[in-house]
Amino acid sequence: MKKANIMLKTIEDIKNFVNIVSKYDSDIDLASGRYVVDAKSIMGIFSLDLVKPIELTICNDSEADTILKELSPFIV
């Protein structure tokens, strides 16, 4: 399991983020405060507080480095 903090500032960022994570079979979650949503769900992401950094959790270690590399523009 790997974690990183990300920022999704625009609707376009959210669209690009979901397109990237949807390519992978790994379970990927986003957490903001006490709320945790599936990172592949656009509606779930919009339910989070997007003003602050969001915690990204990738549950599959074998794909984690590849996913993080592709998501590097969003990592803070």
Side-chain angles (χ1 to χ4, degrees), residues 9-61:
K9 297 177 183 174
T10 65
I11 293 171
E12 194 65 32
D13 284 349
I14 294 170
K15 241 173 62 175
N16 292 335
F17 175 84
V18 171
N19 286 337
I20 292 169
V21 296
S22 294
K23 295 189 294 186
Y24 298 96
D25 291 330
S26 301
D27 286 334
I28 305 170
D29 296 323
L30 292 175
S32 176
R34 63 181 184 161
Y35 298 103
V36 178
V37 299
D38 182 355
K40 298 173 186 177
S41 165
I42 288 178
M43 292 304 290
I45 293 171
F46 278 118
S47 71
L48 299 175
D49 180 6
L50 300 175
V51 177
K52 299 181 269 185
I54 305 165
E55 183 179 69
L56 169 77
T57 304
I58 303 167
C59 298
N60 184 349
D61 284 336

Side-chain angles (χ1 to χ4, degrees), residues 4-9 52-55 71-76:
N5 285 325
I6 64 164
M7 277 298 284
L8 300 171
K9 297 177 183 174
K52 299 181 269 185
I54 305 165
E55 183 179 69
L71 294 176
S72 63
F74 306 109
I75 296 174
V76 291

